[in-house]
Structures are given as structure tokens and as C-alpha cells.
């Protein structure tokens, strides 16, 4: 194994398939990057909390065998749909379901879809013709529908308006405690179950009409003989229908997802059959190219061929199905402590499957809330169970996309207490957190060469008398290392990874209190855009800001290396900058665009940034500036940290720094002496303008320093133009002037110069200026 990039950003991925509004986004490409580094073709990869298809798809496409495990069969169903794609016979299977006979009260049989649609029969609120309601809006307190949307054949479209008496009567027609209610309740919690009362509250989230329609569909679907892919696709569509058919969505406002298991004051009752039709029509969107699926676990383990299988089992059961030391890589995107989602999953799983797996979810029906203490304990137990499965050089990678500080804390505490050593990490507000671990349950077992041995006593030294000082020290050291204002997420991640490396493990609440006290003991300055800084840090004694070091890292790699594939270049940057120095991927990509050109996924250094060419250009500009200064009757001089100074009557009037980069560290550090009345100017290539603007945007200190000292930024091409046009002093001053109307919160950068040896773009034209806020 070569040098490892512990932080692999991947790219943000959308959430597709059923229940998308409840599920967390998964970083695309991140798992593939770790697999390439930490596993070989044919190796066994375990997606421990499989919640979707991404990790398994990337593992199989990398030539590995993959296992997706989860105690929640709903999550595994969604993952399988994303890996297999919509079956070719789905429409035929849905037609069979729609035409399944339903016996009516007068003992006649009619097709199921006709019966369900008849439940929503209603008159058009505009023309009065018979139609079918798409939805009814209900008042929770009065228990009556007050508005509706009806598909009207006479009008040719859906019409919205108030309900009428016939709608009221139809709403009261079905018994709230009829067959459908007890069928749905018994499937989830039998009469003797301790969770029956709570299950009844969840069943009551459906109106009698919608519950009757769902139960009819469930019964007919179970009675159909279907191939597994077609049945799974219909179950996925029904799962989406069961979600949207509840009374948890409000009428008249948009909510991304329910946060409470209680209907809003005014809620929607949607037409169940229309919902199912829509879900089946979208099934083809749930997957890309199908991935090879093994018939079962035995077949997957019997050979090296890349494929996947799904295990509806908790971690402790997975550890009993696999031999110790056989898994090269465990990928874990931990489930969130979302009480609403887990309770609904327990309900829906009980409806869809009469199986031990769905029954195992019943205890979640009784939990009103899932706290972070519970999350940490459950995650620790799961990670501890699968640790022995790892090969001697195997790794656990915990990766998630949300910038969630509690999730970082729980993951770090759980993994450390479960017997893992943290070997690398990175965090970003843009793509989330990555934590890479080695299994080391006793002493120095499994430790990397050169690592110290820290005993595990099982104690919890993270007490308020000890931990706050360490927390404050970690935050301070992180800010010093980055030398720039930093998002809270990264500071929090630095704290919890430090605690994990020290094995300071304890209950979530206890550690959170110690961390909070340590954070509050610091006099942190809260800046714009959620950034934090310590005002007592002396910038003149710090390294260059991280943004400058990121730029230099990218420039060096493109200058010294051969052409780079995009992913390889990103990994090279993050090999150099990870942990507390993790730069945001957007900054890295901006640096890449500033210095490189991309063609077919391959990056090369821009021709104009060839070091020899740039050096000659800098020297020529310095000489031209000297000549211009003499023509304007200034006395050019060098030294005092400046490339050139224009002096008059013994004082510096203009001070020039000519640079091939957008480095701004000297500005915020105050290392460049600016005499009173001097006008500092940074002359830089036009290709750095966007990067310069981003650095000012992400560091409010820089904006203040630039504004306070009156800095001006000039592109190479513009300076050449001024020299060629023979400007006088007044014209020169006007062309370089800042706009004082922007105030101390912004600075005008004159974007009036064409970029180096490239075609002028809109932001290079003389009439244009850009304001950096």
C-alpha cells in the first residue's frame, strides 16, 4: 500500500428512490477512492449500515465482493432497487395488481384499481361533473375535509375548491376501527405485544379511506406470484405510497419531511391509487446500470468474482456469518437517531413483511425519541461486533455527507471505545466527514509502525475538570495550524478526533458537556459565514493561511508532476493537507482551475504558468514598472519587502508586489510595512482573479486588512495596457482607485484587465468591476 489520502471528498450525490426525503445524501466516489487505496480486486467489502446503493455499486465496479448489511429491511429494499433497476416486466406486474379482483359489499367483484378510485369519487368544484379526487385537505380538529382537487373529464384538468356534503358523507362512510385498522395493527403489533398502543397511534396516522386502500393493495400484492425483482419494485413503489398517503404532510405549505408523528393542523389525504401509479412510473429512475448480484452469501464467499449480496441482519449477526480476518474494508455511514423515520420504518416493515427481521424493529415503536447517547451506544456495539472481521491490514472508514457535529462526536466516541485506532481524518462543510480507523482491541495489536501505544483502561477521563482544558487547547492549535478563520464543524471534528486518539471515552452527554465548557472558555470571535477565530492569535507569527498553502500545493503538483487525472490530483492535494488542515473541495478545485487546464478529465499546467515563462514575465513587468515610474516623475526603488516602490520627496507613494500567485498571507499578517500615505498594490495574473476573490470571501480578516490599508489588485495585462497608453499621474491613480462606497465589508477589485495571453472574457473588459463581499 502506498501513501494514503485519508480524506477523499468524492462529490455530493442526490438521494433517489423511495423515501428520499428521509434519507441522507451519500458522497459519490468517496467509497470508490477508499476501495482503490485500501482494498485489492476480489477483496471483501462490508457496507455495515447499508442505506442505499452507492457503496455497494462502487465496490463491485472496483472489482470487489460486497456485502450490504442492515437490520432495517426497508433500507435494504431501497438499496436493492438502486442496484438492480426496474425489471422489464414491471408494467405487466402492476397491471396484474390493478386487475386483481376486489369483492364489494354486494358480492360483486371488480378490479382493485376501480374499487380504490371509487373511494375518492367526488364532484368537480367548478362544473359539478363526476370526477376523482387527487386529494382532500382535512382539518385535524373538526375531522372533516374542507378542500379538494378533482380530476374532471369535462373540464379536462384538475380543479381545486371547497368540499361539499357528499364529500363529508364519504369521509364518514368507513369505520375507523374496521377490518383495515385491525389488519394493519395486528401485522405490526399482535394483541399481546407491549408496543400495541404505540403501533395503534401510528396506524391512526392514516385516514380510514387511505388505510382501507393500502390494506387492499397489500393483501392483493401478497397473493400474486411474481418474480423477486418485480415484487421488490412494487414493494418499493408501495413503500413510497405508504409514506405520502399518511396524514403527516400539511396542506398549503411545503415541508421537506415530517419532524413529528402527529398530523399538522391542516393535512392532506392523497389518493392512494394515484400515488402508487406515480411511484411505479418513477421506478425506472431509481437505478442506473444494474450491478451483479450473487444468489446468496455462500455463493459470494466461494469465489473472487465481483458481486454483492444483501443481509437483513444487525452487526452482531453479521459477525457470526463471516469468518474473522476476511474483510478488507468496512464502510459505515451511520444511521441517524431519527425517531420519526425509525418508527415509520417499523410500521411499514411490519406491513410489507411478516418476518423475524421486521419483527425485530418492534421495540422502535415504543421509543418516542432516539437520543445521541442511545446512538453512540448502539454504534459502539455494532462496530465492536464487526472489528474481528477485519484483515490484519484492514480498515474501517466512517464517512457521511452532512456537516453534523453530533454525528462526528458519536462516531468518534463509539469507534474509539469499540477498539479502533484513528489513523486519519478530514472534515468539510461541503462534503461532510471522513474517519479512517484500524482495529486494535488490545495493547499494540494492529497498530501501524511508529505509532505509540496507549492503554485502554475503559475509564472515562473526559470529566469537566480535565477535558475542557484539552478541548480549548485543541481548538487553539487547530486555528494556529490553519492560520485562518475556520468553520465550527472542522474545529469540533478536531476536538473529537483528538479525544478519540487519546481514548478519552465516555457517555455522549458527559463528553458533550466537557466539550461545551472547553469551547466556552475560549474568547472565540464569530465572524461572517459561520467562521471562528481567536483575536489573540498573532498572525505575524503563524504560517501562511491555509488558502495560500492550498494554492501552493496545487501549483507545485501541476508544475512538478506529469498530467493528472482529476481524482488523482485531488488525492495528491489531500495527502498533503488533511485532518485539521482539510481545505474545502471548492477551494481545491478553484486552485486547479486557476493553474491548470482540463481536457477529458486530465489536468495540465497552463502554458502561461510555466515557471521559466512566469519568471521572465515578472522580471519584464518589474522593469516596465520602473520605466513607468520614471515617466510619471517618481523615483523607483526596491527593498523593504517590496518588489518596487515609487517614491517622491523622500516618501513611498506606490508600493508594488508583483506575484505569480494569489497569496495574501502577508497582507493579513502585516509583515509588509506600509508607510503612512503609501498605496499598496498587488500585481498578479488575470487567471488568479477568481481565486483572489474567493480568498477574500472566505476570510473576513483579509477584507478588513485590504480595506484598512487601501490595497489595490491589478492584473498583468491591465498594467501593460497602462504602460502602453502613456497615462499621466491622474489617470493612473483613477484606474487603480478603490471605491470607498463599498465600506469596510467589501473591497472593489478592478476586473478591467484581460487575462494573460488568453481571449478576453466578460469579467476582463474595461467597463466591468467586481465586488468581493
Amino acid at each position: 500500500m502506498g501513501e494514503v489520502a485519508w480524506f477523499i471528498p468524492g462529490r455530493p450525490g442526490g438521494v433517489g428512490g423511495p423515501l428520499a426525503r428521509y434519507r441522507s445524501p451519500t458522497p459519490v466516489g468517496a467509497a470508490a477512492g477508499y476501495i482503490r487505496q485500501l482494498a485489492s480486486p476480489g477483496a471483501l467489502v462490508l457496507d455495515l449500515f447499508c442505506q442505499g446503493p452507492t457503496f455497494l455499486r462502487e465496490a463491485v465496479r472496483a472489482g470487489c465482493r460486497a456485502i450490504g448489511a442492515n437490520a432495517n429491511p426497508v433500507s435494504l429494499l431501497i438499496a436493492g432497487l438502486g442496484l438492480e433497476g426496474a425489471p422489464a416486466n414491471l408494467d405487466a406486474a402492476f397491471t396484474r395488481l390493478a386487475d386483481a379482483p376486489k369483492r364489494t359489499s354486494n358480492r360483486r367483484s371488480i378490479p382493485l384499481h376501480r374499487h380504490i378510485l371509487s373511494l375518492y369519487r367526488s364532484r368537480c368544484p367548478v362544473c359539478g361533473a363526476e370526477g376523482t379526487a387527487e386529494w382532500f385537505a382535512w382539518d385535524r380538529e373538526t375531522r372533516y375535509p374542507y378542500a379538494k382537487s378533482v380530476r374532471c373529464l369535462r373540464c379536462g384538468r384538475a380543479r381545486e375548491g371547497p368540499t361539499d356534503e357528499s364529500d363529508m358523507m364519504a369521509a364518514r362512510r368507513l369505520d375507523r376501527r374496521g377490518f383495515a385498522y385491525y389488519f394493519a395493527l395486528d401485522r405490526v403489533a399482535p394483541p399481546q405485544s407491549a408496543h400495541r398502543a404505540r403501533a395503534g397511534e401510528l396506524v391512526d396516522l392514516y385516514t380510514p379511506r387511505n388505510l382501507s386502500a393500502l390494506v387492499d393493495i397489500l393483501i392483493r400484492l401478497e397473493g400474486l406470484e411474481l418474480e423477486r425483482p418485480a415484487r421488490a419494485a412494487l414493494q418499493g413503489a408501495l413503500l413510497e405510497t405508504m409514506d405520502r398517503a399518511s396524514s403527516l404532510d400539511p396542506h398549503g405549505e411545503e415541508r421537506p419531511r415530517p419532524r413529528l408523528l402527529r398530523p399538522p393542523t391542516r393535512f392532506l389525504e392523497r389518493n392512494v391509487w394515484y400515488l402508487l401509479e406515480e411511484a411505479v412510473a418513477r421506478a425506472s429512475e431509481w437505478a442506473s446500470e444494474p450491478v451483479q448480484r450473487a444468489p446468496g452469501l455462500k455463493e459470494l464467499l466461494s469465489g473472487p468474482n465481483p458481486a454483492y449480496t444483501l443481509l437483513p441482519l444487525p452487526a452482531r449477526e453479521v459477525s457470526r456469518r463471516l469468518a474473522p480476518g476476511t474483510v478488507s474494508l468496512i464502510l459505515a455511514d451511520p444511521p441517524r437517531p431519527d425517531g420519526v423515520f425509525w418508527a415509520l420504518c417499523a410500521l411499514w416493515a411490519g406491513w410489507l413483511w411478516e418476518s423475524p427481521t421486521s419483527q425485530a424493529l418492534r421495540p422502535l415503536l415504543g421509543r418516542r425519541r432516539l437520543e445521541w447517547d442511545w446512538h453512540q451506544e448502539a454504534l459502539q456495539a455494532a462496530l465492536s461486533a464487526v472489528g474481528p472481521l477485519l484483515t490484519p491490514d484492514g480498515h474501517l472508514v466512517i464517512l457521511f455527507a452532512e456537516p453534523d457535529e453530533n454525528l462526528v462526536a458519536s462516531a468518534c466516541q463509539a469507534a474509539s471505545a469499540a477498539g479502533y485506532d484513528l489513523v486519519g481524518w478530514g472534515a468539510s462543510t461541503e462534503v461532510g466527514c471522513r474517519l479512517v480507523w484500524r482495529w486494535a482491541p488490545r495493547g499494540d495489536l494492529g497498530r501501524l509502525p511508529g505509532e505509540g501505544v496507549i492503554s485502554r483502561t475503559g475509564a472515562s477521563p473526559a470529566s469537566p475538570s480535565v477535558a475542557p482544558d484539552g478541548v480549548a487547547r485543541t481548538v487553539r492549535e487547530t486555528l494556529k495550524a490553519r492560520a485562518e478563520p475556520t468553520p465550527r464543524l472542522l474545529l469540533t471534528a478536531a476536538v473529537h478526533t483528538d479525544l478519540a486518539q487519546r481514548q478519552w471515552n465516555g457517555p455522549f452527554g458527559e463528553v458533550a458537556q466537557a466539550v461545551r465548557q472547553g469551547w466556552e472558555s475560549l474568547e472565540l470571535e464569530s465572524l461572517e459565514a459561520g467562521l471562528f477565530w481567536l483575536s489573540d492569535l498573532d498572525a505575524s507569527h503563524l504560517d501562511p493561511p491555509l488558502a495560500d498553502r492550498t494554492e501552493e500545493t496545487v501549483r507545485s503538483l501541476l508544475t512538478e508532476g506529469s498530467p493528472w487525472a482529476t481524482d488523482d490530483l485531488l488525492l495528491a492535494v489531500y495527502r498533503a493537507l488533511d485532518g485539521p488542515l482539510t481545505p474545502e473541495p471548492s477551494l481545491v478545485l478553484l486552485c486547479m482551475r486557476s493553474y491548470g487546464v482540463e481536457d477529458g478529465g486530465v489536468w495540465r499546467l497552463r502554458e502561461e504558468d510555466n515557471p521559466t515563462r512566469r519568471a521572465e514575465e515578472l522580471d519584464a513587468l518589474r522593469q516596465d514598472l520602473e520605466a513607468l515610474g520614471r515617466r510619471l516623475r517618481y523615483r523607483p526603488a526596491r527593498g523593504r519587502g517590496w518588489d518596487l516602490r515609487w517614491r517622491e520627496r523622500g516618501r513611498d507613494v506606490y508600493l508594488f508586489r508583483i506575484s505569480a500567485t494569489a497569496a495574501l498571507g502577508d497582507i493579513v499578517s502585516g509583515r509588509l510595512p506600509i508607510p503612512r500615505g503609501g498605496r499598496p498594490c498587488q500585481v498578479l495574473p488575470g487567471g488568479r482573479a477568481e481565486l483572489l476573490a474567493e480568498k477574500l470571501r472566505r476570510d473576513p480578516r483579509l477584507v478588513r486588512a485590504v480595506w484598512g490599508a487601501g490595497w489595490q489588485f491589478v492584473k498583468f495585462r491591465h498594467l501593460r495596457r497602462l504602460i502602453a497608453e502613456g497615462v499621466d499621474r491622474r489617470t493612473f491613480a483613477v484606474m487603480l482607485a478603490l471605491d470607498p462606497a463599498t465600506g469596510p465589508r467589501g473591497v472593489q477589485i478592478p476586473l478591467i484587465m484581460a487575462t494573460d495571453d488568453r481571449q478576453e472574457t466578460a469579467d476582463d473588459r474595461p467597463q466591468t468591476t467586481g465586488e468581493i463581499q
Side-chain angles (χ1 to χ4, degrees), residues 255-283:
R255 290 185 188 174
R257 46 156 299 173
R259 298 292 179 182
L260 298 172
L261 289 171
R262 184 186 183 190
T265 303
R266 295 186 169 188
F267 64 85
L268 284 174
E269 178 197 29
R270 296 186 176 97
N271 184 312
V272 166
W273 193 258
Y274 286 163
L275 291 178
L276 186 60
E277 286 180 333
E278 293 172 8
V280 170
R282 291 197 303 270

mmCIF file of all heavy atoms in Angstrom, residues 255-283:
data_model
loop_
_atom_site.group_PDB
_atom_site.id
_atom_site.type_symbol
_atom_site.label_atom_id
_atom_site.label_comp_id
_atom_site.label_asym_id
_atom_site.label_seq_id
_atom_site.Cartn_x
_atom_site.Cartn_y
_atom_site.Cartn_z
ATOM 1 N N ARG A 255 -43.187 21.189 3.207
ATOM 2 C CA ARG A 255 -42.275 20.707 4.235
ATOM 3 C C ARG A 255 -41.477 19.566 3.643
ATOM 4 O O ARG A 255 -42.042 18.657 3.039
ATOM 5 C CB ARG A 255 -43.029 20.218 5.472
ATOM 6 C CG ARG A 255 -43.684 21.323 6.283
ATOM 7 C CD ARG A 255 -44.303 20.757 7.548
ATOM 8 N NE ARG A 255 -45.089 21.763 8.255
ATOM 9 C CZ ARG A 255 -45.830 21.494 9.330
ATOM 10 N NH1 ARG A 255 -45.881 20.263 9.793
ATOM 11 N NH2 ARG A 255 -46.526 22.448 9.912
ATOM 12 N N PRO A 256 -40.153 19.587 3.813
ATOM 13 C CA PRO A 256 -39.361 18.527 3.184
ATOM 14 C C PRO A 256 -39.665 17.140 3.740
ATOM 15 O O PRO A 256 -39.588 16.155 3.048
ATOM 16 C CB PRO A 256 -37.923 18.955 3.478
ATOM 17 C CG PRO A 256 -38.022 19.866 4.666
ATOM 18 C CD PRO A 256 -39.331 20.564 4.541
ATOM 19 N N ARG A 257 -40.005 17.080 5.033
ATOM 20 C CA ARG A 257 -40.265 15.794 5.659
ATOM 21 C C ARG A 257 -40.889 16.041 7.030
ATOM 22 O O ARG A 257 -40.677 17.091 7.632
ATOM 23 C CB ARG A 257 -38.982 14.996 5.836
ATOM 24 C CG ARG A 257 -37.838 15.796 6.389
ATOM 25 C CD ARG A 257 -36.823 14.952 7.072
ATOM 26 N NE ARG A 257 -37.410 14.262 8.191
ATOM 27 C CZ ARG A 257 -36.779 13.338 8.902
ATOM 28 N NH1 ARG A 257 -35.553 13.025 8.605
ATOM 29 N NH2 ARG A 257 -37.349 12.736 9.915
ATOM 30 N N PRO A 258 -41.661 15.087 7.544
ATOM 31 C CA PRO A 258 -42.254 15.288 8.868
ATOM 32 C C PRO A 258 -41.211 15.181 9.970
ATOM 33 O O PRO A 258 -40.308 14.344 9.909
ATOM 34 C CB PRO A 258 -43.284 14.154 8.966
ATOM 35 C CG PRO A 258 -42.824 13.116 8.018
ATOM 36 C CD PRO A 258 -42.131 13.839 6.910
ATOM 37 N N ARG A 259 -41.355 16.024 10.964
ATOM 38 C CA ARG A 259 -40.465 16.002 12.117
ATOM 39 C C ARG A 259 -41.143 15.431 13.358
ATOM 40 O O ARG A 259 -40.466 15.096 14.327
ATOM 41 C CB ARG A 259 -39.972 17.425 12.418
ATOM 42 C CG ARG A 259 -39.162 18.036 11.295
ATOM 43 C CD ARG A 259 -37.841 17.339 11.103
ATOM 44 N NE ARG A 259 -37.073 17.904 10.008
ATOM 45 C CZ ARG A 259 -35.888 17.442 9.621
ATOM 46 N NH1 ARG A 259 -35.345 16.405 10.235
ATOM 47 N NH2 ARG A 259 -35.245 17.998 8.604
ATOM 48 N N LEU A 260 -42.474 15.357 13.335
ATOM 49 C CA LEU A 260 -43.229 14.830 14.454
ATOM 50 C C LEU A 260 -44.226 13.810 13.936
ATOM 51 O O LEU A 260 -44.728 13.924 12.811
ATOM 52 C CB LEU A 260 -43.978 15.947 15.191
ATOM 53 C CG LEU A 260 -43.135 17.041 15.838
ATOM 54 C CD1 LEU A 260 -44.045 18.160 16.346
ATOM 55 C CD2 LEU A 260 -42.312 16.468 16.982
ATOM 56 N N LEU A 261 -44.524 12.823 14.763
ATOM 57 C CA LEU A 261 -45.506 11.811 14.388
ATOM 58 C C LEU A 261 -46.893 12.276 14.822
ATOM 59 O O LEU A 261 -47.599 11.602 15.588
ATOM 60 C CB LEU A 261 -45.143 10.471 15.021
ATOM 61 C CG LEU A 261 -43.923 9.789 14.418
ATOM 62 C CD1 LEU A 261 -43.505 8.583 15.243
ATOM 63 C CD2 LEU A 261 -44.197 9.382 12.976
ATOM 64 N N ARG A 262 -47.273 13.430 14.292
ATOM 65 C CA ARG A 262 -48.588 13.991 14.569
ATOM 66 C C ARG A 262 -49.032 14.779 13.349
ATOM 67 O O ARG A 262 -48.246 15.553 12.798
ATOM 68 C CB ARG A 262 -48.534 14.915 15.781
ATOM 69 C CG ARG A 262 -49.902 15.461 16.178
ATOM 70 C CD ARG A 262 -49.792 16.471 17.280
ATOM 71 N NE ARG A 262 -51.108 16.946 17.699
ATOM 72 C CZ ARG A 262 -51.306 17.973 18.513
ATOM 73 N NH1 ARG A 262 -50.279 18.642 18.991
ATOM 74 N NH2 ARG A 262 -52.535 18.317 18.843
ATOM 75 N N PRO A 263 -50.282 14.577 12.910
ATOM 76 C CA PRO A 263 -50.742 15.333 11.748
ATOM 77 C C PRO A 263 -50.715 16.832 12.018
ATOM 78 O O PRO A 263 -51.018 17.273 13.136
ATOM 79 C CB PRO A 263 -52.191 14.834 11.548
ATOM 80 C CG PRO A 263 -52.240 13.509 12.228
ATOM 81 C CD PRO A 263 -51.291 13.619 13.387
ATOM 82 N N PRO A 264 -50.358 17.628 11.024
ATOM 83 C CA PRO A 264 -50.441 19.081 11.194
ATOM 84 C C PRO A 264 -51.903 19.519 11.313
ATOM 85 O O PRO A 264 -52.824 18.737 11.078
ATOM 86 C CB PRO A 264 -49.790 19.620 9.924
ATOM 87 C CG PRO A 264 -49.870 18.505 8.939
ATOM 88 C CD PRO A 264 -49.834 17.238 9.710
ATOM 89 N N THR A 265 -52.105 20.768 11.692
ATOM 90 C CA THR A 265 -53.463 21.275 11.898
ATOM 91 C C THR A 265 -54.315 21.073 10.657
ATOM 92 O O THR A 265 -55.494 20.713 10.738
ATOM 93 C CB THR A 265 -53.412 22.758 12.281
ATOM 94 O OG1 THR A 265 -52.605 22.905 13.451
ATOM 95 C CG2 THR A 265 -54.810 23.292 12.572
ATOM 96 N N ARG A 266 -53.737 21.308 9.503
ATOM 97 C CA ARG A 266 -54.415 21.066 8.231
ATOM 98 C C ARG A 266 -53.529 20.142 7.395
ATOM 99 O O ARG A 266 -52.403 20.498 7.066
ATOM 100 C CB ARG A 266 -54.681 22.373 7.496
ATOM 101 C CG ARG A 266 -55.657 23.285 8.235
ATOM 102 C CD ARG A 266 -56.006 24.509 7.425
ATOM 103 N NE ARG A 266 -57.131 25.229 8.019
ATOM 104 C CZ ARG A 266 -57.744 26.257 7.447
ATOM 105 N NH1 ARG A 266 -57.338 26.696 6.263
ATOM 106 N NH2 ARG A 266 -58.756 26.855 8.049
ATOM 107 N N PHE A 267 -54.056 18.963 7.116
ATOM 108 C CA PHE A 267 -53.227 17.956 6.453
ATOM 109 C C PHE A 267 -53.889 17.459 5.181
ATOM 110 O O PHE A 267 -55.082 17.662 4.943
ATOM 111 C CB PHE A 267 -52.944 16.792 7.398
ATOM 112 C CG PHE A 267 -54.145 16.000 7.824
ATOM 113 C CD1 PHE A 267 -54.627 14.961 7.044
ATOM 114 C CD2 PHE A 267 -54.789 16.283 9.021
ATOM 115 C CE1 PHE A 267 -55.729 14.218 7.430
ATOM 116 C CE2 PHE A 267 -55.899 15.544 9.424
ATOM 117 C CZ PHE A 267 -56.367 14.509 8.632
ATOM 118 N N LEU A 268 -53.074 16.772 4.364
ATOM 119 C CA LEU A 268 -53.532 16.236 3.085
ATOM 120 C C LEU A 268 -53.861 14.754 3.203
ATOM 121 O O LEU A 268 -53.134 13.979 3.843
ATOM 122 C CB LEU A 268 -52.455 16.423 2.020
ATOM 123 C CG LEU A 268 -52.275 17.821 1.432
ATOM 124 C CD1 LEU A 268 -51.065 17.833 0.513
ATOM 125 C CD2 LEU A 268 -53.515 18.262 0.673
ATOM 126 N N GLU A 269 -54.934 14.361 2.546
ATOM 127 C CA GLU A 269 -55.269 12.959 2.317
ATOM 128 C C GLU A 269 -55.189 12.741 0.810
ATOM 129 O O GLU A 269 -56.060 13.163 0.060
ATOM 130 C CB GLU A 269 -56.668 12.631 2.828
ATOM 131 C CG GLU A 269 -57.076 11.185 2.567
ATOM 132 C CD GLU A 269 -58.577 10.967 2.704
ATOM 133 O OE1 GLU A 269 -59.352 11.914 2.456
ATOM 134 O OE2 GLU A 269 -58.977 9.839 3.042
ATOM 135 N N ARG A 270 -54.117 12.104 0.361
ATOM 136 C CA ARG A 270 -53.908 11.930 -1.072
ATOM 137 C C ARG A 270 -54.547 10.637 -1.561
ATOM 138 O O ARG A 270 -54.669 9.666 -0.808
ATOM 139 C CB ARG A 270 -52.415 11.928 -1.396
ATOM 140 C CG ARG A 270 -51.692 13.247 -1.084
ATOM 141 C CD ARG A 270 -50.263 13.180 -1.578
ATOM 142 N NE ARG A 270 -49.535 14.433 -1.399
ATOM 143 C CZ ARG A 270 -48.724 14.680 -0.382
ATOM 144 N NH1 ARG A 270 -48.531 13.752 0.561
ATOM 145 N NH2 ARG A 270 -48.092 15.834 -0.285
ATOM 146 N N ASN A 271 -54.869 10.619 -2.835
ATOM 147 C CA ASN A 271 -55.453 9.441 -3.485
ATOM 148 C C ASN A 271 -54.385 8.347 -3.575
ATOM 149 O O ASN A 271 -53.360 8.506 -4.251
ATOM 150 C CB ASN A 271 -55.939 9.822 -4.883
ATOM 151 C CG ASN A 271 -56.641 8.695 -5.593
ATOM 152 O OD1 ASN A 271 -56.156 7.578 -5.646
ATOM 153 N ND2 ASN A 271 -57.802 9.012 -6.184
ATOM 154 N N VAL A 272 -54.619 7.239 -2.886
ATOM 155 C CA VAL A 272 -53.625 6.172 -2.788
ATOM 156 C C VAL A 272 -53.297 5.576 -4.152
ATOM 157 O O VAL A 272 -52.131 5.314 -4.465
ATOM 158 C CB VAL A 272 -54.111 5.084 -1.814
ATOM 159 C CG1 VAL A 272 -53.286 3.811 -1.954
ATOM 160 C CG2 VAL A 272 -54.038 5.595 -0.384
ATOM 161 N N TRP A 273 -54.305 5.360 -4.988
ATOM 162 C CA TRP A 273 -54.006 4.725 -6.277
ATOM 163 C C TRP A 273 -53.206 5.652 -7.179
ATOM 164 O O TRP A 273 -52.284 5.198 -7.862
ATOM 165 C CB TRP A 273 -55.283 4.278 -6.972
ATOM 166 C CG TRP A 273 -54.952 3.360 -8.118
ATOM 167 C CD1 TRP A 273 -54.933 3.672 -9.438
ATOM 168 C CD2 TRP A 273 -54.508 2.010 -8.014
ATOM 169 N NE1 TRP A 273 -54.526 2.599 -10.189
ATOM 170 C CE2 TRP A 273 -54.269 1.551 -9.338
ATOM 171 C CE3 TRP A 273 -54.313 1.135 -6.948
ATOM 172 C CZ2 TRP A 273 -53.826 0.263 -9.591
ATOM 173 C CZ3 TRP A 273 -53.871 -0.157 -7.205
ATOM 174 C CH2 TRP A 273 -53.631 -0.578 -8.521
ATOM 175 N N TYR A 274 -53.523 6.916 -7.167
ATOM 176 C CA TYR A 274 -52.726 7.854 -7.965
ATOM 177 C C TYR A 274 -51.273 7.887 -7.467
ATOM 178 O O TYR A 274 -50.334 7.966 -8.269
ATOM 179 C CB TYR A 274 -53.325 9.254 -7.899
ATOM 180 C CG TYR A 274 -54.601 9.428 -8.707
ATOM 181 C CD1 TYR A 274 -55.459 10.504 -8.477
ATOM 182 C CD2 TYR A 274 -54.949 8.537 -9.707
ATOM 183 C CE1 TYR A 274 -56.625 10.672 -9.213
ATOM 184 C CE2 TYR A 274 -56.111 8.684 -10.453
ATOM 185 C CZ TYR A 274 -56.947 9.764 -10.197
ATOM 186 O OH TYR A 274 -58.089 9.930 -10.930
ATOM 187 N N LEU A 275 -51.092 7.838 -6.150
ATOM 188 C CA LEU A 275 -49.732 7.816 -5.596
ATOM 189 C C LEU A 275 -48.982 6.578 -6.065
ATOM 190 O O LEU A 275 -47.800 6.649 -6.426
ATOM 191 C CB LEU A 275 -49.783 7.837 -4.069
ATOM 192 C CG LEU A 275 -50.266 9.117 -3.394
ATOM 193 C CD1 LEU A 275 -50.299 8.930 -1.881
ATOM 194 C CD2 LEU A 275 -49.356 10.298 -3.746
ATOM 195 N N LEU A 276 -49.656 5.429 -6.060
ATOM 196 C CA LEU A 276 -48.997 4.193 -6.474
ATOM 197 C C LEU A 276 -48.647 4.235 -7.958
ATOM 198 O O LEU A 276 -47.554 3.800 -8.362
ATOM 199 C CB LEU A 276 -49.899 3.006 -6.168
ATOM 200 C CG LEU A 276 -49.301 1.616 -6.407
ATOM 201 C CD1 LEU A 276 -48.071 1.410 -5.535
ATOM 202 C CD2 LEU A 276 -50.333 0.524 -6.139
ATOM 203 N N GLU A 277 -49.531 4.762 -8.778
ATOM 204 C CA GLU A 277 -49.234 4.898 -10.203
ATOM 205 C C GLU A 277 -47.996 5.764 -10.418
ATOM 206 O O GLU A 277 -47.119 5.436 -11.235
ATOM 207 C CB GLU A 277 -50.430 5.507 -10.937
ATOM 208 C CG GLU A 277 -51.600 4.579 -11.146
ATOM 209 C CD GLU A 277 -52.743 5.244 -11.886
ATOM 210 O OE1 GLU A 277 -52.876 6.495 -11.797
ATOM 211 O OE2 GLU A 277 -53.504 4.538 -12.558
ATOM 212 N N GLU A 278 -47.929 6.889 -9.710
ATOM 213 C CA GLU A 278 -46.778 7.781 -9.848
ATOM 214 C C GLU A 278 -45.493 7.087 -9.412
ATOM 215 O O GLU A 278 -44.442 7.228 -10.060
ATOM 216 C CB GLU A 278 -46.997 9.042 -9.012
ATOM 217 C CG GLU A 278 -48.129 9.927 -9.510
ATOM 218 C CD GLU A 278 -48.420 11.053 -8.529
ATOM 219 O OE1 GLU A 278 -47.642 11.209 -7.563
ATOM 220 O OE2 GLU A 278 -49.430 11.757 -8.727
ATOM 221 N N ALA A 279 -45.546 6.334 -8.319
ATOM 222 C CA ALA A 279 -44.347 5.661 -7.835
ATOM 223 C C ALA A 279 -43.871 4.584 -8.798
ATOM 224 O O ALA A 279 -42.665 4.440 -9.036
ATOM 225 C CB ALA A 279 -44.621 5.059 -6.451
ATOM 226 N N VAL A 280 -44.790 3.833 -9.368
ATOM 227 C CA VAL A 280 -44.400 2.799 -10.348
ATOM 228 C C VAL A 280 -43.791 3.457 -11.581
ATOM 229 O O VAL A 280 -42.793 2.964 -12.139
ATOM 230 C CB VAL A 280 -45.622 1.935 -10.723
ATOM 231 C CG1 VAL A 280 -45.287 1.027 -11.905
ATOM 232 C CG2 VAL A 280 -46.083 1.114 -9.527
ATOM 233 N N ALA A 281 -44.356 4.590 -12.006
ATOM 234 C CA ALA A 281 -43.812 5.281 -13.183
ATOM 235 C C ALA A 281 -42.398 5.785 -12.923
ATOM 236 O O ALA A 281 -41.584 5.887 -13.850
ATOM 237 C CB ALA A 281 -44.729 6.441 -13.563
ATOM 238 N N ARG A 282 -42.074 6.105 -11.668
ATOM 239 C CA ARG A 282 -40.732 6.607 -11.338
ATOM 240 C C ARG A 282 -39.742 5.496 -11.039
ATOM 241 O O ARG A 282 -38.559 5.774 -10.810
ATOM 242 C CB ARG A 282 -40.798 7.542 -10.130
ATOM 243 C CG ARG A 282 -41.490 8.867 -10.388
ATOM 244 C CD ARG A 282 -41.141 9.865 -9.283
ATOM 245 N NE ARG A 282 -41.512 9.337 -7.970
ATOM 246 C CZ ARG A 282 -42.696 9.525 -7.390
ATOM 247 N NH1 ARG A 282 -43.630 10.206 -8.017
ATOM 248 N NH2 ARG A 282 -42.946 9.025 -6.194
ATOM 249 N N ALA A 283 -40.177 4.256 -11.005
ATOM 250 C CA ALA A 283 -39.295 3.160 -10.614
ATOM 251 C C ALA A 283 -38.072 3.057 -11.510
ATOM 252 O O ALA A 283 -36.985 2.674 -11.064
ATOM 253 C CB ALA A 283 -40.067 1.843 -10.606
#
